[in-house]
Amino acid sequence: MTDETPTPQTPTPGNASPDDGATAASPDVAPGLEAAARHKDADLPHTPEDKGSEETVRRKKRDLPLVAVVTGTGKGKSTSSFGMLQRSWARGYRCGVFQFVKGGKWKVGERKAAEALSASGAGGTIEWEIQGKGWTWIQKDMTESEDIAKAGWDEVKRRIAEERYEFLLLDEITYPISWGWIDVEDVVATLAARPGFQHVVLTGRNAHERLIETADLVSEVVNVKHPMAAGIRAQQGIDW
């Protein structure tokens, strides 16, 4: 019997791995003509015919509503998710952001940018809710963080039920879940039963295993090196 080397299978839209991008099959190999030829017939969104939000129906037949979790000990979880928020806004989506930890004195740059984008009329809309001393729809001053987090989640459920958004970012929601303030099974059930077309992204460290099981996309940001270890404090433009 002679040893035979299996013929590599050419990736197609049906069998390509998640790492087979549009320009290179491997991050260690520079893209070339072979990569371009292999992907020329792939179902890619960035084609000359793609008009995005200018289309009568802005979503394509292949689009499916996803649950995404961005977790891990490294910096960049919220930053990554705000990038997805901008993409959705650019496609004309109705977007919502709930920040479950940062609020009050935190004047995050992403919120300022989102407000400007939403007001521009060039894309979709972005509604932004921060925890602070209480969510904007609560009239009384709530000072207990647990009560505020629970009220925030109750409002999220209402907005999911009414299909208010096509893209919803629940920033740092993993923390009140880890602390037992928000029931993870209630979160899982709500996400699984959400009606219509709603992308939902959840961020924060130590994502509960039930969230990871439920999600369609899970990314872990690993801390390799951080300036705080050298005594450098958080700064605007980089951290908020």
Side-chain angles (χ1 to χ4, degrees):
M1 181 180 294
T2 59
D3 294 332
E4 295 183 359
T5 302
T7 301
Q9 185 180 21
T10 301
T12 67
N15 65 24
S17 75
D19 293 324
D20 291 331
T23 58
S26 168
D28 300 322
V29 179
L33 294 177
E34 184 276 334
R38 172 159 46 81
H39 289 283
K40 68 181 180 66
D41 295 323
D43 186 20
L44 299 175
H46 44 80
T47 64
E49 296 79 19
D50 181 28
K51 298 181 180 179
S53 58
E54 295 180 9
E55 297 177 346
T56 303
V57 180
R58 57 180 170 266
R59 293 189 297 273
K60 300 183 180 298
K61 292 181 179 179
R62 66 166 178 266
D63 292 345
L64 296 172
L66 302 177
V67 172
V69 172
V70 186
T71 189
T73 59
K75 170 179 167 54
K77 296 180 288 295
S78 295
T79 304
S80 169
S81 301
F82 290 134
M84 285 188 274
L85 170 69
Q86 290 184 355
R87 290 173 181 165
S88 293
W89 168 85
R91 293 303 181 186
Y93 285 10
R94 293 171 285 110
C95 305
V97 178
F98 276 69
Q99 287 194 287
F100 278 85
V101 175
K102 292 187 180 70
K105 294 182 179 180
W106 280 89
K107 306 299 182 182
V108 295
E110 296 94 340
R111 183 184 183 186
K112 185 175 182 179
E115 290 173 345
L117 290 175
S118 189
S120 72
T125 58
I126 304 175
E127 294 183 345
W128 199 293
E129 298 285 358
I130 60 173
Q131 180 167 309
K133 286 190 175 181
W135 307 101
T136 59
W137 65 89
I138 297 176
Q139 299 301 315
K140 64 180 181 180
D141 179 21
M142 299 179 66
T143 57
E144 294 297 327
S145 296
E146 181 175 355
D147 291 339
I148 297 173
K150 289 179 177 179
W153 171 242
D154 286 342
E155 183 64 19
V156 166
K157 289 197 295 182
R158 283 190 286 271
R159 298 191 188 186
I160 287 177
E162 67 185 23
E163 301 180 49
R164 183 158 170 166
Y165 309 117
E166 293 160 289
F167 178 93
L168 174 60
L169 172 54
L170 306 179
D171 189 40
E172 298 185 324
I173 193 175
T174 63
Y175 300 107
I177 290 175
S178 296
W179 300 330
W181 296 354
I182 298 175
D183 181 15
V184 68
E185 294 301 332
D186 188 24
V187 175
V188 168
T190 300
L191 296 178
R194 70 193 188 284
F197 187 99
Q198 303 184 68
H199 292 308
V200 182
V201 180
L202 305 90
T203 75
R205 294 190 180 202
N206 303 320
H208 195 285
E209 61 181 8
R210 292 287 288 124
L211 295 180
I212 294 175
E213 292 171 1
T214 300
D216 304 288
L217 167 65
V218 179
S219 292
E220 182 176 7
V221 182
V222 178
N223 180 31
V224 177
K225 192 174 184 180
H226 199 290
M228 289 186 67
I232 301 174
R233 300 180 64 181
Q235 53 189 308
Q236 62 182 0
I238 298 297
D239 297 286
W240 75 87

